[in-house]
Amino acid sequence: VPGGVQQCVVLRHAERADQCLGHPWASSHDFSLWPLDPPLTDAGLMAAEETAREICRFLFKGCHQSQSRAASPHDCAWRVVTSPFLRCVQTAVEVCKAIGQGCELEVDMALGEVYGPEVMGEYEPKATHRTFEEVRRYCEKHNVAVYGQPLGQSPQWPECLRMARARFLESFVGHLQNSAEHRRALLVTHGDGVAATLSAMAAMRGRFVDRVHYCGFFVAEANDVSSLEQNTDDALGHGTATSSPSWRV
């Protein structure tokens, strides 16, 4: 990355099993335990792997193969942070594998799914996603280390879409600030998370992002992270973007 320029990638997870008609996961024991935390389909895993390679080709230009192996994300050129939901974790693991050994994964509860009736159903669920230890075991099985303990706070019930989009945007800004020394951050989250953060970019002035396809992502660059002026209404479609033009998408 050129001196003084910061980059951030925001990526939606790949195809989830419960949205694939006839997928066997819907009748599995795992479904009975975690009905709101589906894994990726086989096609989704392949798409996540290909998307990870695409991001590497686009941004890293091969340097991920030659960079020194870091002991923590604070020494790594890229910070990779994911929602705690399995579909996001699986997608993020493919990104970490594409970057190379030494790229540890961080889990942020604030990047999780919308926690309200619009997504979860009328009543508050008893459990929405797997435990942090289960996430850690999955990652280690795929030779990806999970750094520290979960970041952020889980949302409170009932969370409406507007509140969730504000949460996603706040988390996005926080990770940009925390990643300033590394100059690169990659967040893996849900469709509304990508939509909210993209809608807040100055390049999207006057436009509102409603939906994001599986594995959809955008790349933002800026000379100064402090130039991003957060406006919740932008992410919700109740105004126009006010982010500084120094952020390029």
Side-chain angles (χ1 to χ4, degrees):
V1 179
V5 176
Q6 185 171 356
Q7 290 179 322
C8 184
V9 180
V10 185
L11 167 67
R12 186 189 180 191
H13 60 78
E15 182 184 54
R16 48 191 287 180
D18 62 337
Q19 297 298 309
C20 183
L21 186 63
H23 195 280
W25 179 77
S27 57
S28 69
H29 178 63
D30 189 69
F31 171 82
S32 68
L33 295 175
W34 307 105
L36 296 175
D37 195 18
L40 299 180
T41 62
D42 290 344
L45 279 168
M46 293 177 61
E49 182 179 356
E50 175 54 36
T51 301
R53 289 198 298 262
E54 179 184 351
I55 291 172
C56 285
R57 288 193 297 266
F58 182 71
L59 295 176
F60 302 170
K61 298 179 181 179
C63 69
H64 62 288
Q65 296 178 344
S66 59
Q67 69 181 26
S68 60
R69 300 315 186 196
S72 78
H74 302 291
D75 298 320
C76 184
W78 281 85
R79 291 182 65 235
V80 181
V81 190
T82 182
S83 155
F85 284 77
L86 181 59
R87 53 193 179 273
C88 292
V89 171
Q90 289 180 293
T91 302
V93 162
E94 296 306 317
V95 172
C96 291
K97 287 162 62 177
I99 294 173
Q101 292 181 350
C103 178
E104 293 181 302
L105 182 61
E106 298 179 66
V107 177
D108 184 0
M109 308 302 284
L111 290 176
E113 183 64 279
V114 179
Y115 191 52
E118 291 172 87
V119 171
M120 302 288 181
E122 183 178 359
Y123 302 105
E124 182 177 9
K126 293 181 179 179
T128 56
H129 57 77
R130 290 150 222 266
T131 67
F132 182 68
E133 286 307 312
E134 288 176 285
V135 167
R136 185 191 298 277
R137 285 196 296 270
Y138 174 86
C139 294
E140 292 178 349
K141 180 180 178 181
H142 293 270
N143 298 314
V144 172
V146 179
Y147 183 76
Q149 294 297 316
L151 308 172
Q153 298 293 321
S154 298
Q156 298 297 309
W157 183 274
E159 182 183 51
C160 67
L161 181 58
R162 176 185 173 84
M163 293 168 60
R165 286 195 166 213
R167 166 171 59 85
F168 287 130
L169 187 56
E170 181 180 4
S171 181
F172 171 71
V173 173
H175 284 298
L176 290 180
Q177 294 170 341
N178 292 336
S179 300
E181 293 183 4
H182 313 290
R183 296 294 176 186
R184 299 180 175 101
L186 195 151
L187 312 182
V188 183
T189 183
H190 305 266
D192 286 308
V194 181
T197 50
L198 180 56
S199 294
M201 295 290 105
M204 301 300 293
R205 190 182 306 276
R207 290 179 287 178
F208 173 67
V209 180
D210 182 52
R211 298 189 63 184
V212 176
H213 293 294
Y214 291 130
C215 289
F217 69 91
F218 72 90
V219 182
E221 293 185 343
N223 295 322
D224 179 10
V225 64
S226 65
S227 66
L228 182 63
E229 299 175 3
Q230 181 178 344
N231 185 330
T232 301
D233 282 346
D234 301 340
L236 303 174
H238 299 295
T240 56
T242 60
S243 303
S244 167
S246 65
W247 276 92
R248 302 172 296 278
V249 178

